[in-house]
Amino acid sequence: MFALEALGWALTDEKRAERLLSLTGLTPERLRHGIDDRSVQAAVLDFLAGHEPDLVAAADALNTRPETLVAAAKELNA
């Protein structure tokens, strides 16, 4: 669930959304049709985990802790 919420948050800023696509290699179509895929979810959370300012801001917006998002990414990557 965090991945979908995190994706929604990431897409609220155009520059961040472009960086998400660029760094993850995901396409808008893949995001639309693949958000239920663990690898897509992991890519979104890994993107946030890789940039602390976004990680902290996303955690705040999602009313959780950064560590929780990082743990969710690790679980999806397992």
Side-chain angles (χ1 to χ4, degrees):
M1 187 52 124
F2 279 124
L4 181 57
E5 292 174 355
L7 175 60
W9 176 84
L11 296 178
T12 62
D13 178 85
E14 186 177 336
K15 288 183 180 184
R16 185 175 45 241
E18 289 174 6
R19 193 164 30 94
L20 169 72
L21 296 176
S22 175
L23 293 176
T24 63
L26 295 170
T27 64
E29 182 176 319
R30 179 75 173 120
L31 285 173
R32 276 192 295 277
H33 301 291
I35 194 60
D36 59 341
D37 184 315
R38 288 177 64 94
S39 65
V40 172
Q41 294 173 10
V44 170
L45 294 177
D46 285 340
F47 165 77
L48 293 175
H51 187 65
E52 187 174 0
D54 282 349
L55 176 64
V56 171
D60 186 52
L62 300 177
N63 215 15
T64 191
R65 297 179 347 183
E67 298 85 5
T68 302
L69 295 177
V70 171
K74 287 180 181 178
E75 185 177 322
L76 288 167
N77 282 311

Coordinates of all heavy atoms in Angstrom, one line a residue:
M1 N 0.8 -1.2 0.0 CA 0.0 0.0 0.0 C 0.9 1.3 0.0 O 0.5 2.2 -0.6 CB -0.9 0.0 1.2 CG -1.9 1.1 1.2 SD -2.8 1.2 -0.4 CE -4.4 1.1 0.1
F2 N 2.0 1.2 0.7 CA 2.8 2.4 0.7 C 3.3 2.8 -0.7 O 3.5 3.9 -1.0 CB 4.1 2.2 1.6 CG 3.8 2.4 3.1 CD1 4.1 1.4 4.0 CD2 3.3 3.6 3.6 CE1 3.9 1.5 5.3 CE2 3.1 3.8 4.9 CZ 3.4 2.7 5.8
A3 N 3.6 1.8 -1.5 CA 4.1 2.1 -2.8 C 3.1 2.9 -3.7 O 3.5 3.9 -4.3 CB 4.5 0.8 -3.6
L4 N 1.8 2.6 -3.6 CA 0.8 3.3 -4.4 C 0.7 4.7 -3.8 O 0.7 5.7 -4.6 CB -0.5 2.6 -4.3 CG -1.6 3.3 -5.1 CD1 -1.3 3.5 -6.5 CD2 -2.9 2.5 -4.9
E5 N 0.7 4.9 -2.5 CA 0.6 6.2 -1.9 C 1.9 7.0 -2.2 O 1.8 8.2 -2.5 CB 0.4 6.1 -0.4 CG -0.9 5.5 0.0 CD -1.1 5.3 1.4 OE1 -0.1 5.4 2.2 OE2 -2.2 4.9 1.9
A6 N 3.0 6.3 -2.2 CA 4.3 7.0 -2.4 C 4.4 7.4 -3.9 O 4.9 8.5 -4.2 CB 5.5 6.1 -2.1
L7 N 3.9 6.6 -4.8 CA 3.8 7.0 -6.2 C 3.0 8.2 -6.4 O 3.3 9.1 -7.1 CB 3.3 5.8 -7.1 CG 3.1 6.1 -8.5 CD1 4.4 6.5 -9.2 CD2 2.5 4.9 -9.2
G8 N 1.8 8.2 -5.8 CA 0.9 9.4 -5.9 C 1.6 10.6 -5.4 O 1.5 11.7 -6.0
W9 N 2.3 10.5 -4.3 CA 3.0 11.7 -3.8 C 4.1 12.1 -4.7 O 4.3 13.3 -5.0 CB 3.6 11.3 -2.4 CG 4.5 12.5 -1.9 CD1 4.0 13.5 -1.2 CD2 5.9 12.6 -2.0 NE1 5.0 14.4 -0.9 CE2 6.2 13.8 -1.4 CE3 6.9 11.9 -2.6 CZ2 7.5 14.3 -1.4 CZ3 8.2 12.3 -2.6 CH2 8.5 13.6 -2.0
A10 N 4.9 11.2 -5.2 CA 6.0 11.5 -6.1 C 5.5 12.2 -7.4 O 6.2 13.1 -7.9 CB 6.8 10.2 -6.5
L11 N 4.4 11.8 -7.9 CA 3.9 12.4 -9.1 C 3.3 13.8 -9.0 O 2.9 14.4 -10.0 CB 2.9 11.4 -9.7 CG 3.4 10.1 -10.2 CD1 2.3 9.2 -10.7 CD2 4.6 10.2 -11.2
T12 N 3.2 14.3 -7.7 CA 2.6 15.6 -7.5 C 3.6 16.7 -7.9 O 3.2 17.9 -8.0 CB 2.2 15.8 -6.0 OG1 3.4 15.7 -5.2 CG2 1.1 14.8 -5.6
D13 N 4.8 16.4 -8.1 CA 5.9 17.3 -8.5 C 6.4 16.9 -9.9 O 7.0 15.8 -10.0 CB 7.0 17.4 -7.5 CG 8.0 18.4 -7.9 OD1 7.9 19.6 -7.6 OD2 9.1 18.0 -8.4
E14 N 6.3 17.8 -10.9 CA 6.7 17.4 -12.2 C 8.2 17.0 -12.3 O 8.6 16.0 -12.9 CB 6.4 18.5 -13.2 CG 6.7 18.1 -14.7 CD 6.3 19.2 -15.6 OE1 5.5 20.1 -15.3 OE2 6.9 19.2 -16.7
K15 N 9.1 17.7 -11.7 CA 10.5 17.4 -11.8 C 10.8 16.1 -11.1 O 11.6 15.3 -11.5 CB 11.4 18.6 -11.2 CG 11.4 19.8 -12.0 CD 12.3 20.8 -11.5 CE 12.3 22.1 -12.4 NZ 13.2 23.1 -11.9
R16 N 10.2 15.9 -9.9 CA 10.4 14.6 -9.2 C 9.8 13.5 -10.0 O 10.5 12.4 -10.1 CB 9.7 14.7 -7.8 CG 10.0 13.5 -7.0 CD 9.4 13.6 -5.6 NE 8.1 14.1 -5.5 CZ 7.7 15.3 -4.9 NH1 8.6 16.0 -4.3 NH2 6.5 15.6 -4.9
A17 N 8.7 13.7 -10.7 CA 8.1 12.6 -11.5 C 9.0 12.2 -12.6 O 9.2 11.1 -13.0 CB 6.7 13.0 -12.0
E18 N 9.6 13.3 -13.3 CA 10.6 13.0 -14.4 C 11.8 12.3 -13.9 O 12.3 11.4 -14.5 CB 11.0 14.3 -15.0 CG 9.9 15.0 -15.8 CD 10.2 16.4 -16.3 OE1 11.4 16.8 -16.2 OE2 9.3 17.0 -16.9
R19 N 12.3 12.7 -12.7 CA 13.4 12.0 -12.1 C 13.1 10.5 -11.8 O 13.9 9.6 -12.0 CB 13.9 12.7 -10.9 CG 15.2 12.3 -10.4 CD 15.8 13.3 -9.4 NE 14.9 14.1 -8.6 CZ 14.5 13.7 -7.4 NH1 15.0 12.6 -6.8 NH2 13.6 14.4 -6.7
L20 N 11.9 10.3 -11.3 CA 11.4 8.9 -11.0 C 11.5 8.1 -12.2 O 12.1 7.0 -12.2 CB 10.0 8.9 -10.4 CG 9.3 7.6 -10.3 CD1 9.9 6.8 -9.2 CD2 7.8 7.8 -10.1
L21 N 10.9 8.6 -13.3 CA 11.0 7.8 -14.6 C 12.4 7.6 -15.1 O 12.7 6.5 -15.5 CB 10.1 8.5 -15.6 CG 8.6 8.6 -15.3 CD1 7.9 9.4 -16.4 CD2 8.0 7.2 -15.1
S22 N 13.2 8.6 -15.0 CA 14.5 8.6 -15.5 C 15.4 7.6 -14.7 O 16.1 6.7 -15.3 CB 15.2 9.9 -15.4 OG 16.5 9.9 -15.8
L23 N 15.3 7.6 -13.4 CA 16.2 6.8 -12.6 C 15.7 5.4 -12.4 O 16.5 4.5 -12.2 CB 16.3 7.4 -11.2 CG 17.1 8.7 -11.1 CD1 17.0 9.3 -9.7 CD2 18.5 8.6 -11.6
T24 N 14.4 5.1 -12.5 CA 13.9 3.8 -12.4 C 13.8 3.0 -13.7 O 13.7 1.8 -13.7 CB 12.5 3.8 -11.7 OG1 11.6 4.5 -12.6 CG2 12.5 4.4 -10.3
G25 N 13.7 3.8 -14.8 CA 13.5 3.2 -16.1 C 12.1 2.8 -16.4 O 11.7 2.2 -17.4
L26 N 11.2 3.2 -15.4 CA 9.8 2.9 -15.6 C 9.2 3.9 -16.6 O 9.7 5.0 -16.8 CB 9.0 3.0 -14.3 CG 9.4 2.0 -13.2 CD1 8.8 2.4 -11.9 CD2 9.0 0.6 -13.7
T27 N 8.1 3.5 -17.3 CA 7.4 4.4 -18.2 C 6.1 4.7 -17.6 O 5.6 4.0 -16.7 CB 7.2 3.7 -19.6 OG1 6.3 2.5 -19.3 CG2 8.5 3.2 -20.2
P28 N 5.4 5.8 -18.0 CA 4.1 6.1 -17.5 C 3.1 4.9 -17.7 O 2.3 4.6 -16.8 CB 3.6 7.3 -18.4 CG 4.9 8.0 -18.7 CD 5.9 6.8 -18.9
E29 N 3.2 4.2 -18.9 CA 2.4 3.1 -19.1 C 2.6 1.9 -18.1 O 1.7 1.3 -17.6 CB 2.5 2.6 -20.5 CG 1.6 1.4 -20.9 CD 1.7 0.9 -22.3 OE1 1.8 1.8 -23.2 OE2 1.7 -0.3 -22.5
R30 N 3.9 1.7 -17.9 CA 4.3 0.6 -16.9 C 3.7 0.9 -15.5 O 3.3 0.1 -14.8 CB 5.8 0.4 -16.9 CG 6.3 -0.6 -15.9 CD 6.0 -2.0 -16.4 NE 6.6 -3.0 -15.6 CZ 5.9 -4.0 -14.9 NH1 4.6 -4.1 -15.1 NH2 6.6 -4.8 -14.1
L31 N 3.8 2.2 -15.1 CA 3.3 2.6 -13.8 C 1.8 2.4 -13.8 O 1.2 1.9 -12.8 CB 3.6 4.1 -13.6 CG 5.1 4.4 -13.2 CD1 5.3 5.8 -13.1 CD2 5.4 3.7 -11.9
R32 N 1.1 2.8 -14.8 CA -0.4 2.7 -14.8 C -0.8 1.3 -14.8 O -1.8 1.0 -14.1 CB -0.9 3.3 -16.1 CG -1.2 4.8 -16.0 CD -2.0 5.3 -17.2 NE -1.3 5.2 -18.5 CZ -0.4 6.0 -19.0 NH1 -0.1 7.1 -18.3 NH2 0.1 5.8 -20.2
H33 N -0.2 0.4 -15.5 CA -0.6 -1.0 -15.6 C 0.1 -2.0 -14.7 O -0.2 -3.1 -14.6 CB -0.5 -1.5 -17.0 CG -1.3 -0.6 -18.0 ND1 -2.7 -0.6 -17.9 CD2 -1.0 0.3 -18.9 CE1 -3.2 0.2 -18.8 NE2 -2.1 0.8 -19.4
G34 N 1.2 -1.5 -14.0 CA 2.0 -2.4 -13.2 C 2.2 -2.1 -11.8 O 3.0 -2.7 -11.1
I35 N 1.4 -1.2 -11.2 CA 1.6 -0.8 -9.8 C 1.3 -2.0 -8.9 O 1.8 -2.0 -7.8 CB 0.8 0.4 -9.4 CG1 1.2 1.0 -8.1 CG2 -0.7 0.2 -9.4 CD1 2.7 1.4 -8.0
D36 N 0.5 -3.0 -9.3 CA 0.3 -4.2 -8.5 C 1.5 -5.2 -8.6 O 1.5 -6.1 -7.8 CB -1.0 -4.9 -8.9 CG -1.0 -5.3 -10.3 OD1 -0.3 -4.8 -11.1 OD2 -1.9 -6.2 -10.6
D37 N 2.5 -4.9 -9.4 CA 3.7 -5.7 -9.6 C 4.7 -5.3 -8.5 O 5.0 -4.1 -8.3 CB 4.3 -5.5 -11.0 CG 5.4 -6.3 -11.3 OD1 6.3 -6.5 -10.4 OD2 5.5 -6.9 -12.4
R38 N 5.2 -6.3 -7.8 CA 6.1 -6.1 -6.7 C 7.4 -5.3 -7.2 O 7.9 -4.5 -6.5 CB 6.6 -7.4 -6.0 CG 5.5 -8.0 -5.2 CD 6.0 -9.4 -4.6 NE 7.2 -9.2 -3.7 CZ 7.1 -9.2 -2.4 NH1 5.9 -9.2 -1.8 NH2 8.2 -9.1 -1.7
S39 N 7.8 -5.6 -8.4 CA 9.0 -5.0 -8.9 C 8.8 -3.5 -9.1 O 9.7 -2.6 -8.9 CB 9.6 -5.6 -10.1 OG 8.7 -5.5 -11.2
V40 N 7.6 -3.1 -9.6 CA 7.3 -1.7 -9.8 C 7.2 -1.0 -8.4 O 7.7 0.1 -8.2 CB 6.0 -1.6 -10.6 CG1 5.5 -0.1 -10.7 CG2 6.2 -2.1 -12.0
Q41 N 6.5 -1.7 -7.5 CA 6.4 -1.1 -6.1 C 7.7 -0.9 -5.5 O 8.0 0.2 -4.9 CB 5.5 -2.0 -5.3 CG 4.1 -2.1 -5.7 CD 3.3 -3.1 -4.9 OE1 3.8 -3.7 -3.9 NE2 2.1 -3.4 -5.4
A42 N 8.6 -1.9 -5.6 CA 9.9 -1.8 -5.1 C 10.7 -0.6 -5.7 O 11.4 0.1 -5.1 CB 10.7 -3.1 -5.3
A43 N 10.6 -0.5 -7.0 CA 11.3 0.6 -7.8 C 10.9 2.0 -7.2 O 11.7 2.9 -7.1 CB 11.0 0.5 -9.3
V44 N 9.6 2.1 -7.0 CA 9.1 3.4 -6.5 C 9.7 3.7 -5.1 O 10.2 4.8 -4.8 CB 7.5 3.4 -6.4 CG1 7.0 4.7 -5.7 CG2 7.0 3.4 -7.8
L45 N 9.6 2.7 -4.2 CA 10.1 2.9 -2.9 C 11.7 3.0 -2.9 O 12.2 3.8 -2.1 CB 9.7 1.8 -1.9 CG 8.1 1.8 -1.7 CD1 7.7 0.6 -0.8 CD2 7.7 3.1 -1.1
D46 N 12.3 2.3 -3.7 CA 13.8 2.4 -3.8 C 14.2 3.8 -4.3 O 15.2 4.4 -3.9 CB 14.4 1.4 -4.8 CG 14.4 0.0 -4.2 OD1 14.4 -0.2 -3.0 OD2 14.5 -1.0 -5.0
F47 N 13.4 4.4 -5.2 CA 13.6 5.7 -5.7 C 13.6 6.7 -4.5 O 14.5 7.5 -4.4 CB 12.5 6.1 -6.7 CG 12.5 7.6 -7.0 CD1 13.4 8.2 -7.8 CD2 11.5 8.3 -6.5 CE1 13.3 9.5 -8.1 CE2 11.4 9.7 -6.8 CZ 12.3 10.3 -7.6
L48 N 12.6 6.6 -3.7 CA 12.6 7.5 -2.5 C 13.7 7.2 -1.5 O 14.3 8.2 -1.0 CB 11.2 7.3 -1.8 CG 10.0 7.7 -2.6 CD1 8.7 7.4 -1.8 CD2 10.1 9.2 -2.9
A49 N 14.0 6.0 -1.3 CA 15.1 5.6 -0.4 C 16.4 6.1 -0.8 O 17.3 6.4 0.0 CB 15.1 4.1 -0.2
G50 N 16.6 6.3 -2.1 CA 17.8 6.8 -2.7 C 18.1 8.3 -2.6 O 19.1 8.7 -3.0
H51 N 17.1 9.0 -2.2 CA 17.2 10.5 -2.1 C 16.6 10.9 -0.8 O 15.3 11.1 -0.7 CB 16.6 11.1 -3.3 CG 16.8 12.6 -3.4 ND1 18.0 13.1 -3.6 CD2 15.9 13.6 -3.4 CE1 17.9 14.4 -3.7 NE2 16.6 14.8 -3.5
E52 N 17.4 11.1 0.2 CA 16.9 11.4 1.6 C 15.8 12.5 1.7 O 14.8 12.4 2.4 CB 18.0 11.6 2.6 CG 17.5 11.7 4.0 CD 18.6 11.8 5.0 OE1 19.8 11.8 4.6 OE2 18.3 11.9 6.2
P53 N 16.1 13.6 1.0 CA 15.0 14.7 1.1 C 13.7 14.2 0.6 O 12.6 14.6 1.3 CB 15.6 15.8 0.2 CG 17.1 15.6 0.2 CD 17.2 14.1 0.2
D54 N 13.6 13.5 -0.5 CA 12.3 13.0 -0.9 C 11.8 11.9 0.0 O 10.6 11.9 0.3 CB 12.5 12.3 -2.3 CG 12.5 13.4 -3.4 OD1 12.2 14.6 -3.2 OD2 12.8 13.0 -4.6
L55 N 12.7 11.1 0.6 CA 12.2 10.0 1.5 C 11.6 10.7 2.7 O 10.5 10.3 3.1 CB 13.4 9.2 1.9 CG 13.2 8.1 3.0 CD1 12.2 7.1 2.4 CD2 14.5 7.5 3.4
V56 N 12.2 11.7 3.3 CA 11.7 12.3 4.5 C 10.4 13.1 4.2 O 9.4 13.0 4.9 CB 12.7 13.3 5.1 CG1 12.1 14.2 6.2 CG2 13.9 12.5 5.6
A57 N 10.3 13.8 3.0 CA 9.1 14.5 2.7 C 8.0 13.5 2.4 O 6.8 13.8 2.8 CB 9.4 15.4 1.4
A58 N 8.3 12.4 1.7 CA 7.2 11.4 1.4 C 6.7 10.8 2.7 O 5.5 10.7 2.9 CB 7.7 10.4 0.5
A59 N 7.6 10.4 3.6 CA 7.2 9.8 4.9 C 6.3 10.8 5.6 O 5.2 10.4 6.2 CB 8.4 9.5 5.7
D60 N 6.6 12.1 5.6 CA 5.8 13.1 6.3 C 4.4 13.2 5.7 O 3.4 13.2 6.4 CB 6.5 14.4 6.3 CG 5.8 15.5 7.1 OD1 5.5 15.2 8.3 OD2 5.6 16.6 6.6
A61 N 4.4 13.2 4.3 CA 3.2 13.3 3.6 C 2.3 12.1 3.8 O 1.0 12.2 3.8 CB 3.4 13.6 2.1
L62 N 2.9 10.9 4.0 CA 2.2 9.7 4.1 C 1.9 9.4 5.6 O 1.4 8.3 5.9 CB 2.9 8.6 3.4 CG 3.2 8.7 1.9 CD1 4.0 7.6 1.4 CD2 1.9 8.9 1.2
N63 N 2.3 10.3 6.5 CA 2.1 10.1 7.9 C 2.7 8.8 8.4 O 2.1 8.0 9.1 CB 0.6 10.1 8.2 CG 0.3 10.7 9.5 OD1 1.1 11.4 10.1 ND2 -0.9 10.5 10.0
T64 N 4.0 8.6 8.0 CA 4.8 7.5 8.5 C 6.2 7.9 8.7 O 6.5 9.1 8.6 CB 4.6 6.3 7.5 OG1 5.2 5.1 8.1 CG2 5.3 6.6 6.2
R65 N 7.1 6.9 9.0 CA 8.5 7.3 9.2 C 9.3 6.8 8.0 O 8.9 5.8 7.3 CB 9.0 6.5 10.4 CG 8.3 6.9 11.7 CD 8.8 6.2 12.9 NE 9.6 5.1 12.6 CZ 10.1 4.2 13.4 NH1 9.8 4.4 14.7 NH2 10.8 3.2 13.1
P66 N 10.4 7.5 7.7 CA 11.2 7.1 6.6 C 11.7 5.7 6.7 O 11.7 4.9 5.7 CB 12.4 8.1 6.7 CG 11.9 9.3 7.4 CD 10.9 8.7 8.4
E67 N 12.0 5.2 7.9 CA 12.4 3.8 8.1 C 11.4 2.8 7.7 O 11.7 1.7 7.2 CB 12.8 3.6 9.6 CG 13.9 4.5 10.1 CD 13.5 5.8 10.6 OE1 12.2 6.2 10.6 OE2 14.4 6.6 10.9
T68 N 10.1 3.2 7.8 CA 9.0 2.3 7.4 C 9.0 2.1 5.9 O 8.8 1.0 5.4 CB 7.7 2.9 7.9 OG1 7.7 3.0 9.3 CG2 6.5 1.9 7.6
L69 N 9.2 3.2 5.2 CA 9.3 3.2 3.7 C 10.5 2.3 3.3 O 10.4 1.5 2.3 CB 9.3 4.6 3.1 CG 8.1 5.4 3.3 CD1 8.2 6.8 2.8 CD2 6.8 4.7 2.8
V70 N 11.6 2.5 3.9 CA 12.8 1.8 3.5 C 12.6 0.3 3.8 O 13.0 -0.6 3.0 CB 14.1 2.3 4.3 CG1 15.3 1.4 4.1 CG2 14.4 3.7 3.8
A71 N 12.0 0.0 5.0 CA 11.7 -1.4 5.3 C 10.7 -2.0 4.3 O 10.9 -3.2 3.9 CB 11.1 -1.5 6.7
A72 N 9.8 -1.3 3.8 CA 8.8 -1.8 2.8 C 9.5 -2.1 1.5 O 9.3 -3.1 0.9 CB 7.7 -0.8 2.6
A73 N 10.5 -1.2 1.2 CA 11.2 -1.4 -0.1 C 12.1 -2.7 0.0 O 12.1 -3.5 -0.9 CB 12.2 -0.2 -0.4
K74 N 12.7 -2.9 1.2 CA 13.5 -4.1 1.4 C 12.7 -5.3 1.3 O 13.1 -6.3 0.7 CB 14.3 -4.0 2.7 CG 15.4 -3.0 2.7 CD 16.1 -3.0 4.1 CE 17.2 -2.0 4.0 NZ 17.9 -1.9 5.3
E75 N 11.5 -5.3 1.9 CA 10.6 -6.4 1.9 C 10.2 -6.8 0.4 O 10.1 -8.0 0.1 CB 9.4 -6.2 2.7 CG 8.4 -7.4 2.9 CD 7.3 -7.1 3.8 OE1 7.5 -6.4 4.8 OE2 6.2 -7.6 3.5
L76 N 9.9 -5.8 -0.3 CA 9.5 -6.0 -1.7 C 10.6 -6.5 -2.6 O 10.4 -7.2 -3.5 CB 8.9 -4.7 -2.3 CG 7.6 -4.2 -1.8 CD1 7.3 -2.8 -2.3 CD2 6.5 -5.2 -2.4
N77 N 11.8 -6.2 -2.2 CA 13.0 -6.6 -3.0 C 13.5 -8.0 -2.6 O 14.3 -8.6 -3.2 CB 14.2 -5.6 -2.8 CG 14.0 -4.4 -3.6 OD1 13.7 -4.5 -4.8 ND2 14.1 -3.2 -3.0
A78 N 12.9 -8.5 -1.5 CA 13.4 -9.8 -1.0 C 12.9 -11.0 -1.8 O 11.9 -10.9 -2.5 CB 12.9 -10.0 0.5

